[in-house]
Amino acid sequence: MENRTDHPSAIDRAVDARNNRSMTITVTEEQREAADNLRESMRIFNDAIRMAAYRGLHVEVKLLQMHRTEGPTPVHQVDVLAKL
């Protein structure tokens, strides 16, 4: 499913590729801000990984799943190790 968050006042459209239906999804301002924060964080994170690799470090990245008693589960997190 594709979700677009280009413009703050726009109603987002998602397309279900399996049956080619279009549906309207309204994204709250908090959700839009969270998506923007993730996008910016990933840009900075990827730049840091590239910089470490260019400087001769071996970078290992692992995807972790955190299970919670409340709220959405699993919550994905990233673990990073840089070594010579």
Side-chain angles (χ1 to χ4, degrees):
M1 192 176 293
E2 176 185 316
N3 186 11
R4 298 197 55 199
T5 56
D6 296 344
H7 192 272
S9 64
I11 295 176
D12 299 332
R13 298 230 175 246
V15 176
D16 184 347
R18 286 177 286 160
N19 55 16
N20 208 16
R21 285 188 313 186
S22 179
M23 55 187 178
T24 303
I25 298 174
T26 303
V27 178
T28 67
E29 192 59 36
E30 288 96 5
Q31 290 169 327
R32 188 176 310 280
E33 183 178 353
D36 290 344
N37 288 343
L38 281 173
R39 203 171 9 263
E40 178 66 11
S41 297
M42 287 308 302
R43 186 190 65 74
I44 294 168
F45 180 71
N46 288 330
D47 286 347
I49 289 173
R50 272 191 295 278
M51 185 182 303
Y54 289 148
R55 293 186 177 165
L57 295 174
H58 174 73
V59 180
E60 294 179 14
V61 180
K62 295 179 187 175
L63 182 62
L64 306 175
Q65 288 188 1
M66 308 300 286
H67 295 276
R68 302 170 37 170
T69 56
E70 295 181 13
T73 189
V75 174
H76 299 284
Q77 294 187 339
V78 177
D79 182 39
V80 179
L81 175 65
K83 56 186 175 181
L84 292 175

